[in-house]
């Protein structure tokens, strides 16, 4: 043979070229064929171990062969059929081949359905997403790529993940900050979600709960769930909310009346701007930003108070709105946090961004059948959004917050201890 026409492995070049041409033209077929062949060899080896060699007459075998049957396993988002041997024990009970059991235990179809639906592939187009029309591995009947089959797998997997997620232990998370906000699904259906930030700046979706409105009972149920899962109510943490009175009431009741609550400055500024004429937007926005970025809470209150007095003649209603909730708007200033950390923790942008991911994932849902459906979709979307979470920008300054919260917690304990004596006096 001409050595010049051989590869380094001794294989002729034309054979190599032909093999790679076949693989390149049908790589999916190549993978399927190789995988099925390997699985068949594994099942045959299992049968030999249980029954001995084919046509063998050795005594003491645990089982005997019982023909063959067709079975389906998950592949590329659908199912493929293959023949497997059947084995029966001496008592007549059919025995499961370990390799076949392992191949079926992998929930590949459920994970395919979950992943594609979370990236907005509708159930009607699932088959096209996993089986290209021009591909040479078509989807036969009962391949598991129909819209109903995909929907059933998504429901089952998302419900299981939701149940597991809502029972996760929170006691091991070193949470310093908790943000709570609601998302309106329908007129009479609101979902309340919570996101936590630990001492390293890592963000964690904590839970979600449904309700008709964002009332105190729904908020209390969500907080009770977090406490039951290990969130210690005695530890002082910073809560960030959008200004809801129900949220504030439930937080104070669960974690103590001295719990620091930061009201979202972005929401507050937006509410003020919506009630002002356009020619006042720029100066009012500039004054509010200047006040919120001051290092002294007293000076910030004075600046905001002066702004409210200037607006009493032009917009008396807006003047009262500016003064409303001023204490909670300046919580991060009173904690004496660095400016960069204050900017990150003075708003609910973190949970708002997560809610944006929830809306993106759920945009293909045309009709919400019930609350469990909304919870399943929202829970799956929150966990999907968590994959793209980045650490807090000012995470290196979080030790300052930890020290401030610890000092505030100790002061609250002292005040609580001295309170009965003060009443008695």
């Amino acid at each position: 043979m001409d050595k010049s026409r051989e590869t380094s492995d001794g294989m002729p070049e034309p054979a190599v070229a032909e093999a790679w041409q076949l693989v390149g033209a049908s790589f999916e077929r190549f993978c399927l064929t190789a995988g099925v062949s390997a699985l068949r060899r594994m099942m045959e080896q299992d049968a030999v171990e249980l029954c001995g060699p084919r046509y063998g007459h050795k005594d003491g075998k645990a089982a005997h062969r019982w023909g063959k049957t067709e079975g389906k396993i998950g592949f590329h988002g659908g199912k493929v059929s293959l023949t497997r041997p059947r084995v029966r024990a001496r008592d007549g009970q059919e025995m499961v081949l370990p390799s076949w059991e392992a191949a079926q235990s992998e929930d590949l179809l459920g994970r395919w359905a979950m992943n594609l639906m979370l990236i907005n592939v509708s159930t009607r187009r699932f088959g096209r997403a996993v089986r290209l029309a021009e591909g040479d591995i078509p989807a036969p009947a009962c391949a598991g790529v129909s819209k109903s089959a995909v929907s059933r797998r998504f429901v089952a997997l998302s419900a299981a993940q939701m149940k597991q997620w809502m029972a996760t232990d929170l006691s091991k998370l070193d949470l310093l900050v908790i943000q709570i906000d609601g998302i309106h699904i329908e007129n009479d259906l609101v979902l309340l979600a919570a996101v936590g930030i630990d001492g390293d700046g890592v963000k964690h979706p904590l839970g979600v709960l449904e309700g008709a409105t964002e009332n105190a009972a729904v908020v209390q149920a969500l907080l009770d769930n977090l406490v039951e899962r290990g969130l210690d109510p005695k530890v002082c943490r910073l809560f960030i909310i959008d200004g809801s009175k129900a949220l504030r009431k439930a937080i104070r009741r669960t974690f103590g009346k001295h719990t620091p609550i930061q009201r979202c400055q972005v929401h507050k500024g937006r509410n003020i701007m919506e009630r002002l004429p356009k020619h006042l937007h720029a100066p009012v926005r500039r004054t509010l930003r200047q006040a919120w970025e001051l290092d002294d809470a007293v000076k910030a209150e004075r600046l905001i108070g002066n702004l409210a007095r200037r607006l009493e003649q032009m917009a008396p209603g807006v003047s009262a709105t500016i003064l409303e909730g001023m204490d909670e708007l300046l919580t991060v200033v009173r904690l004496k946090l660095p400016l960069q950390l204050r900017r990150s923790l003075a708003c609910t942008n973190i949970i708002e961004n997560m809610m944006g991911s929830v809306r993106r994932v759920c945009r293909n849902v045309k009709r919400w059948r019930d609350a469990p459906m909304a919870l399943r979709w929202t829970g799956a979307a929150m966990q999907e959004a968590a994959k793209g979470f980045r650490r807090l920008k000012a995470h290196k300054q979080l030790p300052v917050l930890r020290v401030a919260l610890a000092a505030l917690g100790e002061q609250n304990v002292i005040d609580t201890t001295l309170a009965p004596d003060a009443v008695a006096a």
Side-chain angles (χ1 to χ4, degrees):
M1 179 180 292
D2 185 4
K3 297 296 183 181
S4 64
R5 297 186 58 79
E6 292 185 2
T7 65
S8 60
D9 296 331
M11 184 178 292
E13 290 181 355
V16 175
E18 182 180 359
W20 276 109
Q21 184 178 4
L22 292 175
V23 172
S26 181
F27 186 71
E28 192 177 48
R29 171 68 67 182
F30 170 77
C31 293
L32 175 61
T33 304
V36 169
S37 177
L39 180 58
R40 282 174 176 164
R41 289 197 299 270
M42 292 169 63
M43 290 190 295
E44 183 62 31
Q45 182 62 33
D46 291 340
V48 170
E49 292 178 359
L50 292 173
C51 307
R54 187 180 294 275
Y55 307 116
H57 299 284
K58 182 179 179 180
D59 295 333
K61 294 184 295 185
H64 60 279
R65 297 176 185 268
W66 195 262
K68 296 183 178 180
T69 186
E70 290 289 327
K72 295 180 182 291
I73 58 172
F75 174 77
H76 210 287
K79 297 179 181 179
V80 292
S81 300
L82 75 162
T83 304
R84 62 178 177 86
R86 297 180 67 184
V87 174
R88 287 198 176 188
R90 291 301 179 184
D91 60 359
Q93 296 293 327
E94 184 157 357
M95 301 181 67
V96 180
L97 301 177
S99 54
W100 176 254
E101 186 178 21
Q104 285 195 315
S105 64
E106 293 290 335
D107 190 16
L108 297 176
L109 303 185
R111 294 203 296 269
W112 268 89
M114 174 74 77
N115 181 61
L116 289 182
M117 293 183 74
L118 289 177
I119 60 176
N120 293 123
V121 176
S122 66
T123 55
R124 296 178 183 272
R125 298 181 179 180
F126 184 87
R128 289 177 57 186
V130 299
R131 290 290 194 279
L132 297 179
E134 62 271 21
D136 64 349
I137 302 183
C142 302
V145 294
S146 66
K147 62 178 182 179
S148 56
V150 174
S151 179
R152 286 193 297 269
R153 289 199 295 269
F154 177 79
V155 169
L157 187 57
S158 60
Q161 288 188 356
M162 181 71 183
K163 182 178 180 180
Q164 181 182 5
W165 175 49
M166 289 299 290
T168 304
D169 184 17
L170 302 179
S171 61
K172 297 181 181 179
L173 296 180
D174 179 28
L175 299 177
L176 297 180
V177 182
I178 296 178
Q179 293 192 7
I180 303 177
D181 199 7
I183 179 172
H184 289 260
I185 300 298
E186 288 185 331
N187 293 333
D188 56 348
L189 180 59
V190 177
L191 299 182
L192 200 66
V195 175
I197 305 173
D198 64 19
D200 295 325
V202 180
K203 304 161 189 173
H204 304 271
L206 301 179
V208 62
L209 203 66
E210 86 284 357
T213 59
E214 201 171 318
N215 55 42
V218 179
V219 181
Q220 189 63 54
L222 176 62
L223 296 179
D224 290 343
N225 175 266
L226 299 181
V227 173
E228 290 173 1
R229 290 161 53 194
L231 188 68
D232 190 355
K234 298 179 181 179
V235 176
C236 185
R237 299 180 180 87
L238 174 64
F239 285 82
I240 306 175
I241 62 176
D242 62 356
S244 169
K245 294 181 179 179
L247 280 171
R248 185 187 308 109
K249 179 180 178 182
I251 291 172
R252 302 286 191 197
R253 181 190 301 132
T254 305
F255 298 95
K257 63 179 181 179
H258 298 293
T259 300
I261 297 177
Q262 172 64 43
R263 186 169 176 177
C264 179
Q265 295 176 351
V266 175
H267 280 83
K268 184 67 172 182
R270 188 183 301 138
N271 294 338
I272 293 173
M273 294 303 117
E274 289 176 352
R275 300 183 59 182
L276 285 174
K278 288 186 177 181
H279 70 277
L280 292 176
H281 284 190
V284 171
R285 186 182 295 111
R286 184 168 53 250
T287 303
L288 289 176
R289 186 180 299 112
Q290 180 182 357
W292 290 335
E293 293 192 353
L294 288 174
D295 295 330
D296 190 336
V298 176
K299 293 181 179 179
E301 290 181 359
R302 187 182 302 120
L303 186 58
I304 294 176
N306 293 337
L307 174 63
R309 282 190 292 272
R310 291 199 303 270
L311 293 175
E312 283 182 355
Q313 298 298 325
M314 295 176 287
V318 179
S319 176
T321 301
I322 292 176
L323 296 175
E324 186 265 331
M326 185 186 300
D327 291 343
E328 294 175 354
L329 286 168
L330 300 174
T331 299
V332 291
V333 180
R334 290 192 179 86
L335 290 175
K336 301 185 182 303
L337 304 182
L339 179 59
Q340 186 180 6
L341 185 58
R342 292 207 308 265
R343 288 175 176 174
S344 299
L345 300 182
C347 59
T348 57
N349 283 354
I350 294 173
I351 197 168
E352 289 288 347
N353 291 338
M354 187 188 69
M355 292 302 184
S357 298
V358 171
R359 295 185 183 95
R360 175 186 57 78
V361 169
C362 299
R363 67 186 180 188
N364 279 343
V365 181
K366 306 304 179 185
R367 182 170 70 91
W368 296 101
R369 300 179 183 275
D370 47 31
M373 178 185 178
L375 282 173
R376 286 189 290 100
W377 273 89
T378 304
M382 289 175 64
Q383 295 176 71
E384 177 70 13
K387 298 177 182 178
F389 280 171
R390 298 181 179 180
R391 284 206 296 179
L392 195 71
K393 286 184 178 180
H395 65 274
K396 294 182 180 180
Q397 300 175 349
L398 284 173
V400 180
L401 174 62
R402 184 188 299 277
V403 172
L405 292 175
L408 183 61
E410 292 178 1
Q411 182 61 40
N412 293 340
V413 171
I414 295 174
D415 293 344
T416 305
T417 305
L418 295 179
D421 297 337
V423 173

